[in-house]
Each structure stands twice: as C-alpha cells, then as structure tokens.
Amino acid sequence: MNKIDHSHFIKKIAAQSGFDYCGIARAEPLHEDARRLEHWLSKGMQGSMHYMENHFELRVNPEKLLPGAKSVITVLLNYYPASKQSANAPKISAYAYGNDYHEVIKTKLNFMLSQIKDHIGDIHGRGFVDSAPVLERSWALKSGLGWIGKNGNIINKQSGSFFFIATLIVDIELEYDDPFAKDFCGTCRKCIDACPTHAIMEDKIVDGSKCISYFTIELKDMLIPDEMKGKFDDWMFGCDTCQDVCPWNRFSQPTHESAFTPIPEILNFTAADWDELTEENFKKIFKDSPLKRAKFSGIKRNLSFVRNRRSEV
C-alpha cells in the first residue's frame, strides 16, 4: 500500500473511533508558533500556569516527542451538549458536562494506533491529549481542519468550535492535507467584546492570566483577586462566553459521544444544591468529571466568589 492508501485507512479508522474530523500534516518544527509562544510567555500571560514554560522544544518540534516523526494526525471530537443547565444555576463550561475527556480520547487514540499498526506494520506512534506539550490548534490548522479564531479556538466551518483536539504523531510518511488558508472571522469582534474579563486581545492573543477558566480551574490560590469581582458572569467552572457568541457555533450539533452525556446533577443542580454539596457527595458524583480537577475546595471557592458577586449586584 502507498501513503495515499495509508492516509485513507487512517481517516476511516478515526471515524470508526468516533472522531468527527481527521487531518494529516507533515511533522516539522513550528517556527512561527515558537515565536508567538515565546512572546506570549514573555508577557506573563500564562499566569501561574508554570507548566506552560516547561518543555518548550517539545511543544514546537514533534521529533522531540517522537524520534523520526514524519506525520502528525490531528482529530477533533465534538462535545457540544444536547441540553443545558438549569436557569440561574452557577455556570459550567460545556466541555465539563460529562466524563473527563482525557480518558475518553486516550482510549480512542490507543485504538487508532493499534489498528494502524495491525494494518500498516511495525510503526511507532504517540498519542497526545491537551495535557501534553503539543500545540494542537496549530496542527489542526496545518491539517486543514479549521482556522484559529480571534478567541484562540479552532473553528471548523461546518461545525463551529465545540471540539476537543488530539494528535497522533507517527514515524511514517502519509498524504498531507492542505493547511486551512482562510480566516473566516472577518471583521467580527463578538468574542472580543463579550469576554467578561477582557482576556481576548487583538491578533488572536488570549491573556490566560485574565481568563475566567484560568481563575476557576488553573488558579490554585484560595483567593481570587479582588479586581475580578463582578466580572465572572456567574461562571463557576470554566467559561464558554467567547464560544456562545461566535456566529459559527450556530452550526454546532449535539455530540454523539455517549461518554459526554451530561451528569444529571450538572443539568439539574440549582444554586442552593451547589451550596449544600458536601465533599463526600462531590467525590461520588463527580469522580469521572473534569470538575475534580478544581477539587472540592476549588469548587467551593468559586461558588463563594460567584455568590458574593450576586449579592453585590
């Protein structure tokens, strides 16, 4: 079989694994992205996310992650929910409605790699979800899956931006897709204007140290800075504002991934239910949820911050 046949097979297996889109790019150093990342870090936009400063070479050169890397396979997995939370409940980002995506996607990538090895032969490959040092959005762009919007998200013209991105780096040459060449954001500024904390800047730069997701998930301090009071718009875990206002997300369709079926409490809890939640019940209900990343103490901190905001308005 030739590399065209191999590429067709890989895309077929990606679809069978449950991924919505698959694109393939040549594995090569990301020089332009390296400069952008270096500038972003020099401005301190990572806040206390010091892991962003680590493994710089690994982030911008796939051969550092897999010696002999020839191709980067990028896949998208839709997580857009069919149902939303109760009105007036503290808000949770849609990606956290169901089970933790890391485990879901790892299982799919491992299946893909095993199928590729069975079909093509003794190849080497490594799969990565976003906790690893890979610039997934850059590879999605290079693989033709979409463009990077002003809010920093990959936007797919057919389906919007409610996607997880994962990569599979392999040491065989494949047929490469054309990079996505056009930016369809145009003059639209909806995400920039709607961001509650003004974290979205010009030139597709997002100041991570100002993002609500940073404060409610990444920040480990027990106190959220006073200057953020009144700016969270009831977001208790993550934030979808920039995606909710994006015109391209009118094309979003509910996910077919059963693992992302919303945990009933996510949809049904009221503000009072969240306030009355005990640590024991939190660990039981959200044992497979991304919410456990913030821990019970972090969730209570966020709830307190949102409640204080409500009492002030």
Side-chain angles (χ1 to χ4, degrees), residues 2-3 6-7 26 70-71 170-176:
N2 58 35
K3 60 185 180 182
H6 290 159
S7 300
R26 184 185 304 278
K70 296 286 193 300
S71 305
V170 293
D171 62 352
I172 56 169
E173 287 194 359
L174 297 168
E175 183 74 7
Y176 302 123

Side-chain angles (χ1 to χ4, degrees), residues 224 230 232:
I224 296 172
F232 274 27

Side-chain angles (χ1 to χ4, degrees), residues 74-77 101 105 128-130 136-137 140 145 154 163-167:
T74 302
V75 288
L76 304 183
L77 181 59
Y101 63 95
I105 293 176
F128 299 92
V129 193
D130 70 358
E136 304 98 337
R137 290 171 299 179
L145 299 181
I154 275 288
F163 288 98
F164 296 120
I165 311 173
T167 53

Side-chain angles (χ1 to χ4, degrees), residues 202-273:
E202 303 295 336
D203 198 27
K204 303 180 181 181
I205 295 174
V206 178
D207 187 341
S209 69
K210 292 182 179 178
C211 181
I212 292 173
S213 292
Y214 164 72
F215 289 115
T216 57
I217 303 173
E218 300 287 351
L219 184 67
K220 304 310 177 188
D221 298 339
M222 282 315 295
L223 291 177
I224 296 172
D226 285 342
E227 59 263 29
M228 289 296 124
K229 282 185 177 177
K231 296 182 179 180
F232 274 27
D233 193 27
D234 288 349
W235 286 102
M236 179 263 283
F237 185 91
C239 179
D240 285 336
T241 298
C242 65
Q243 297 197 88
D244 289 339
V245 302
C246 177
W248 288 99
N249 280 326
R250 69 187 184 275
F251 299 121
S252 297
Q253 296 293 321
T255 179
H256 296 294
E257 175 53 60
S258 59
F260 299 151
T261 301
I263 296 168
E265 288 80 0
I266 293 278
L267 300 182
N268 301 326
F269 264 18
T270 64
D273 291 326

Side-chain angles (χ1 to χ4, degrees), residues 122-193:
D122 185 24
I123 70 162
H124 296 92
R126 289 186 68 187
F128 299 92
V129 193
D130 70 358
S131 56
V134 177
L135 299 178
E136 304 98 337
R137 290 171 299 179
S138 300
W139 290 113
L141 177 71
K142 289 175 73 68
S143 301
L145 299 181
W147 72 97
I148 297 177
K150 292 178 181 177
N151 59 5
N153 289 320
I154 275 288
I155 303 176
N156 179 279
K157 195 176 181 184
Q158 286 74 42
S159 307
S161 65
F162 286 92
F163 288 98
F164 296 120
I165 311 173
T167 53
L168 184 59
I169 303 175
V170 293
D171 62 352
I172 56 169
E173 287 194 359
L174 297 168
E175 183 74 7
Y176 302 123
D177 294 294
D178 293 329
F180 203 94
K182 192 166 181 181
D183 183 327
F184 286 95
C185 287
T187 58
C188 178
R189 294 177 48 91
K190 288 182 182 291
C191 61
I192 296 174
D193 296 337

